[in-house]
């Protein structure tokens, strides 16, 4: 069975490609490398000891996609390709709508043309906004506060509309919480451009000496220690969720919307402490004012994923920190 992985050279995509190949799937990677490099794929090839077919192309370009669907009989698409920086999306909303929404619509159109109607989509817990309570269930109200989040919600809705128009489609919407960690080999991992926006790469770069000090955004939230609480999930657990979804997608009737999180929230200070313990490095930090748009607490109720995907996260916070550190210390400058 041939699976097309858009954005397969990226952080979550590359880890998922490893697991898909290990599970016996034939994988094609489609990526324009705007936020990744071919080196991640070369390293994936080393892990799985096999060559990977990579097509350089843009999801917004019909011809790029048509060429792929004409050449290969693709049964399912796992759609990671997109832009993901919340701050940049506020500055450049059209860039986000063009890539994330228009690019996805072009992809779905070309899929339908070639009678490929099976898709797993990367959505985000950001669609829940500031939840009225935690843990977060899939049926909680949706509320988005920035163009990035809105683009994810729009694509969810586009896919639900496509299903209404043609119920042959098989659709899985996976809402990720906070992916962290790296492959245990330490050869692939998260490789942010410039100054990291996210906590874990910032901690790791501070521990390795690339950044002087971590800014902790606020210690006056209504949480256990006043700092923000999130559901950090090991990227390999997250990737395994995609393999489980792929194995079951043909048996699902309606579109499935599924949280992929651990169900446990950790504070910023707890993450720093756990990282310092496993890395045996100091992570200097200072408390600064809250970051605009941040919420106090966000963690999943992952019981639906357990029920319908027979999936649950198994990796601990120590493993997340250990693998992030392994990747960061082996690759201080990324790929
Ligand atoms: P990433 O940037 O590492 O990977 C995305 C990949 O898509 C990159 O390789 C990039 O080059 C490619 N890409 C971007 N625009 C493209 C285009 N027009 N055509 C073809 N390829 C294109 O990001 P990631 O962390 O691996 O995230 C993967 C997906 O998961 C994204 O859709 C993201 O929004 C979503 N997501 C990520 C997180 C997170 O915290 N990492 C959380 C929730 C959801
Ligand atoms: N934080 C800091 N200092 C930093 C970075 C982050 O204190 O330098 C704090 C934040 O305030 C927050 C926590 O660490 O309390 C996690 O922040 P991240 O930026 O790592 O993650 P977010 O939960 O803010 O955002 C992530 C993704 C978004 C996605 C959202 C919901 O980056 O794309 O999860 O899924 F929308």
């Amino acid at each position: 069975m041939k699976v097309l992985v858009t954005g397969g050279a990226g952080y979550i995509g590359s880890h998922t490609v490893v697991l898909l190949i290990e599970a016996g799937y034939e994988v094609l990677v489609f990526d324009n490398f705007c936020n990744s490099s071919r080196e991640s794929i070369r390293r994936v090839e080393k892990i799985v000891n096999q060559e990977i077919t990579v097509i350089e192309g843009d999801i917004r370009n019909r011809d790029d996609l048509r060429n792929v669907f004409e050449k290969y009989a693709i049964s399912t698409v796992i759609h990671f390709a997109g832009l993901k920086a919340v701050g940049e999306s506020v500055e450049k909303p059209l860039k986000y709508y063009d890539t994330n929404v228009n690019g996805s619509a072009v992809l779905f159109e070309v899929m339908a043309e070639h009678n490929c109607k099976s898709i797993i989509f990367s959505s985000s817990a950001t669609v829940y906004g500031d939840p009225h309570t935690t843990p977060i269930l899939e049926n909680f109200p949706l509320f988005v506060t920035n163009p990035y989040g809105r683009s994810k919600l729009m694509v969810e809705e586009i896919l639900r509309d496509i299903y209404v128009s043609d119920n042959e489609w098989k659709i899985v919407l996976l809402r990720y919480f906070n992916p962290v960690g790296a492959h245990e080999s330490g050869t692939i991992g998260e490789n942010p451009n410039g100054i990291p926006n996210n906590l874990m790469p910032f901690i790791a770069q501070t521990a390795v000496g690339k950044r002087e000090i971590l800014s902790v955004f606020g210690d006056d939230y209504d949480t256990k220690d006043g700092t923000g609480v999130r559901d950090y999930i090991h990227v390999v657990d997250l990737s395994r969720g995609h393999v489980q979804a792929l194995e079951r997608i043909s048996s699902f009737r309606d579109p499935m919307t599924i949280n992929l999180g651990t169900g446990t929230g950790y504070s910023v200070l707890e993450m720093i402490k756990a990282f310092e313990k496993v890395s045996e490095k100091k992570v200097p930090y200072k408390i600064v004012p809250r970051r605009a748009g941040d919420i106090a607490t966000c963690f999943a109720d992952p019981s639906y994923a357990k029920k319908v995907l027979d999936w649950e996260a198994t990796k601990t916070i120590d493993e997340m920190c250990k693998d992030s550190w392994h990747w960061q210390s082996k690759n201080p400058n990324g790929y």
Side-chain angles (χ1 to χ4, degrees), residues 124 126 178 197-199 215-217 228 230 232 268 291 294:
S124 167
T126 196
N178 290 54
N197 294 311
N198 297 115
L199 179 66
S215 294
V216 174
F217 299 138
R230 297 290 183 276
Y232 297 94
V268 176
R291 178 171 69 177
D294 273 359

Side-chain angles (χ1 to χ4, degrees), residues 155-174:
V155 175
E156 286 199 5
E157 286 173 344
I158 289 170
L159 284 167
R160 290 191 198 97
D161 287 341
I162 289 176
Y163 178 76
V164 171
S165 75
D166 175 356
N167 58 26
E168 280 179 10
W169 277 79
K170 303 287 181 185
I171 296 166
V172 179
L173 310 172
L174 298 176

